[in-house]
Amino acid sequence: GINAEYMGELFLVRGNVYLFQFALSLHQHFSQEILAAKDHAQTYAVLRLEKCRPIDDSCFDRADQYNFPDLNMETAREYAYNTHLKARIERAKQLAQEDDDLSDFDDED
C-alpha cells in the first residue's frame, strides 16, 4: 500500500516539485489502465485510485526519475493562470454582470 509517512516526508523536503514527480510516476504506474479506459468515468476512477491495482514502493522510487531543475513554481502558476484561467474567469464575471443587469431590468417591470 501507500507509505503515506514516507510520501509526507518527501513532500516536506521537496515541496510541490515532489507532487509533480509523484503524479507523473502514478500516471506511468497506471498507464495501461488509463489507456484501456472506455470513457472518462473509467479514466477518472483510475485517477481517483478506485478499482485499480495497489500502489507499490516502485511509485515512490520512480518519482525520482522526473527532474525539474529549472521549474519556477511562481512563473509556472502565472503562465497557467494567464494561459488557461484568466480569460475564463473574466468571461464568467462578464456573464454574471450581464445576468445582474438583466435581473435589474426584470425587477422594474
Side-chain angles (χ1 to χ4, degrees):
I2 297 175
N3 185 338
E5 185 177 322
Y6 178 64
M7 184 176 174
E9 289 175 17
L10 289 172
F11 172 67
L12 290 174
V13 171
R14 299 183 194 169
N16 289 329
V17 171
Y18 179 72
L19 294 180
F20 287 121
Q21 290 173 307
F22 188 70
L24 289 171
S25 180
L26 279 179
H27 277 89
Q28 183 177 353
H29 182 74
F30 293 119
S31 63
Q32 291 176 348
E33 291 90 339
I34 291 169
L35 292 172
K38 302 288 186 213
D39 57 32
H40 70 279
Q42 287 181 348
T43 302
Y44 291 142
V46 172
L47 295 176
R48 287 189 306 264
L49 307 179
E50 300 171 355
K51 301 177 185 177
C52 57
R53 60 194 158 102
I55 297 170
D56 56 27
D57 289 339
S58 68
C59 284
F60 296 101
D61 298 335
R62 189 173 33 253
D64 286 329
Q65 307 185 133
Y66 303 101
N67 293 310
F68 307 102
D70 298 326
L71 180 63
N72 180 314
M73 290 300 291
E74 185 175 328
T75 302
R77 283 187 187 112
E78 183 178 336
Y79 174 80
Y81 175 80
N82 288 332
T83 304
H84 302 289
L85 294 174
K86 187 176 181 180
R88 291 174 62 187
I89 291 171
E90 289 174 357
R91 180 68 179 143
K93 286 179 184 178
Q94 179 185 5
L95 291 172
Q97 181 61 43
E98 290 172 6
D99 187 50
D100 286 346
D101 291 345
L102 290 175
S103 295
D104 291 341
F105 181 75
D106 290 341
D107 292 341
E108 293 175 3
D109 286 341

